[in-house]
Amino acid sequence: MGKRSTNAFARRAQDFYPTPLAGVLPLLNHLMVGTKFYEPCAGAGDLIDHLQQFGHVCVGASDIADHGEHPQVQPGIDCLHLLGVDADMFITNPPWSRSELHAIIEHLMHLKRQAWLLLDADWAHTKQAAPYLEYCRKIVAVGRLKWIPQSRHTGKDNCCWYLFSPWGEGLTEFYGRSK
């Protein structure tokens, strides 16, 4: 699964790795109380449930596939429906495959709202990230996450939350791990 893996792990279809609670905790200090968010890559709704547990409000969610029975996740919705969403921002754990990820960033920036995306930490250090970093206002370190609950191991990549702003102005602030 990871780039340093000695075993050849197959990737899950559509990069379906539910967001663990440990991945959400570092983001909480960067959200306004009661943030209204839309989750465009919702999977089975784990990220939604974690954020709602801390008082944030999911105004809608979608995913290209139906990964479960979460009442707020609408499967197979085209991204055009996001134009009229009444949310403060988008918050998502998108697919990490670069072509899909970059298309998602571009689309969300066209919608003129801020977006928090949970990505691998190395992404910011690649040449292919350069065109998107001008829109990145914050990077919040998360560390390694246990993506597969029944596994004995964490993932091999460190993670960060990236805050993208469609206005593309200002410096990027970095927040290291707190504990």
Side-chain angles (χ1 to χ4, degrees), residues 20-31 116 140-143 145 161 175-178:
L21 177 60
V24 175
L25 298 177
L27 176 62
L28 296 175
N29 288 334
H30 299 273
L31 299 176
W116 280 104
V140 178
V142 174
L145 293 173
W161 282 101
Y175 296 85
R177 292 183 63 178
S178 57

Side-chain angles (χ1 to χ4, degrees), residues 132-167:
Y132 307 101
L133 290 175
E134 71 180 274
Y135 299 102
C136 185
R137 298 288 65 85
K138 290 185 181 182
I139 300 174
V140 178
V142 174
R144 292 185 182 184
L145 293 173
K146 190 173 191 176
W147 294 105
I148 303 170
Q150 59 274 26
S151 172
R152 295 181 318 166
H153 307 288
T154 61
K156 295 182 184 260
D157 293 303
N158 288 300
C159 304
C160 290
W161 282 101
Y162 293 81
L163 175 64
F164 292 92
S165 175
W167 301 284

